[in-house]
Each structure stands twice: as C-alpha cells, then as structure tokens.
Amino acid sequence: SGPVVELPVPPEGNCPSCIGIVDGFFADCNSGTSCVSSQDDSPAHFQEPWEYDTSLAYSDARDRLLSLLSRNYPSCEITRADDRYIRAEFRDGGGGQVDDVEFYFTPNDATVQFRSALRGGGRDGGRNKQRMETLRREMRWTKVPVLRNRRRLFGVVESPWDSFGPSAPRNVDPLESQYK
C-alpha cells in the first residue's frame, strides 16, 4: 500500500464535519459516518451523556479525565484543554485514521457531553462507540437517562428515519386563546 495521507484538522463551527463547541453544543454527526455524540438524537449516533460525582468540582472531573487520557491511551494526543472543553485526537496505529474526540463539562451540573468522530467520514467498525463507553466505565461515571420523544417510522423498530418531538400540533392557530 502507498503512503498514509493524513486528513487536515476539521474546521471549528456548527457544520456536520466541524469540531468545537458553539453555544454549548457540538455539531451533529454526518449521516452514514462513524460518529457518536451525546447531543445528536439520531439513533445511529446517540449515546447518553455522562454524570460525574456531584461532590467533585467540574475542574477536578476534567483533570481526572485528562489524566486518564494521558496515562492510559498512548494513541491519544490532547490538542486543546480549555476551562470546560477538551479536544483530543486518537490515532489508529496501522491505517493512519484519526478520531476527533471532544468533551464538554456543562455549566451548573455534573454532566459531561461528548462527541467522537472518524475524521473524514467513513466507517470504523464501532470503534468510537466502544471507546466512549470504555472511557465512561474507566472514569466510573454514570449514564444520564435521556427521555426521547421518538416517532418510529417502522412501528416498534428503531431506524435512522425516525423523527423526534416535540412538534407543534397540526392545523392549529397558536394565537387561539387555548394555546396562550
């Protein structure tokens, strides 16, 4: 095989291939790609956010996560560690693939939001999903139960075409007195 060509770092912003946090939110995942996120409701990409011990300050929880990443993951390079935001790159040893992993410690609670995506799109065989679950377990953090108002297109089976609510009632005038 030929030389490994590394893809450039994605831009910051709110596009599906972007990284970074904008107003407390990550960009949604590109459909058909290996990406998991605690903020993307689509069934193919969603994983529950995490909760750390509420007796800890977020900065202590962040420092513990940074320490774990540095100590236990030699393929991980921390590329940014701000007050409430961490960005890291995980490199696949053989194929030259890079996973962009982000964490955000939500203000005023003990929640950690995250996003992990294969740079450039494509499939990773579930590597991002498994890595995020392994990190959560190693940190001994719990999953935050998330209630989702799913409207299943195919009855009882989850699908990528399901929609999520709430949505406004149809054929209703929001200015009618019963809706004020």
Side-chain angles (χ1 to χ4, degrees):
S1 72
V4 174
V5 177
E6 188 170 312
L7 296 169
V9 175
E12 289 195 27
N14 193 20
C15 66
S17 61
C18 290
I19 56 177
I21 196 89
V22 177
D23 295 328
F25 294 99
F26 297 119
D28 285 340
C29 296
N30 266 328
S31 62
T33 62
S34 289
C35 174
V36 295
S37 175
S38 61
Q39 294 182 339
D40 189 328
D41 249 353
S42 63
H45 303 292
F46 179 76
Q47 275 188 280
E48 295 92 343
W50 306 332
E51 183 177 55
Y52 54 89
D53 182 348
T54 56
S55 68
L56 288 176
Y58 79 88
S59 56
D60 294 332
R62 181 202 61 218
D63 291 348
R64 285 185 55 220
L65 178 59
L66 284 167
S67 177
L68 176 83
L69 292 171
S70 298
R71 185 180 65 244
N72 291 8
Y73 292 89
S75 68
C76 174
E77 177 186 349
I78 307 296
T79 58
R80 186 170 163 189
D82 295 339
D83 185 37
R84 292 185 177 273
Y85 176 76
I86 298 171
R87 181 183 309 149
E89 295 177 354
F90 283 80
R91 299 182 182 280
D92 176 8
Q97 294 181 324
V98 177
D99 295 325
D100 292 298
V101 182
E102 304 173 275
F103 304 93
Y104 179 63
F105 292 79
T106 308
N108 305 316
D109 65 23
T111 304
V112 181
Q113 303 287 344
F114 59 86
R115 183 178 190 267
S116 182
L118 175 61
R119 186 177 293 172
R123 295 282 177 200
D124 69 359
R127 179 180 65 232
N128 277 297
K129 185 175 187 172
Q130 182 59 46
R131 177 187 303 117
M132 300 314 286
E133 181 60 16
T134 299
L135 281 169
R136 182 193 66 78
R137 288 180 179 168
E138 288 177 335
M139 292 299 296
R140 300 185 195 285
W141 291 345
T142 58
K143 292 180 182 180
V144 176
V146 175
L147 300 176
R148 303 180 337 191
N149 185 9
R150 177 186 303 277
R151 288 176 193 78
R152 293 188 171 145
L153 183 64
F154 299 116
V156 296
V157 179
E158 285 190 4
S159 79
W161 299 282
D162 293 352
S163 62
F164 297 87
S167 60
R170 294 179 184 220
N171 301 322
V172 172
D173 182 357
L175 299 177
E176 287 181 26
S177 62
Q178 70 185 39
Y179 295 104
K180 289 185 178 182

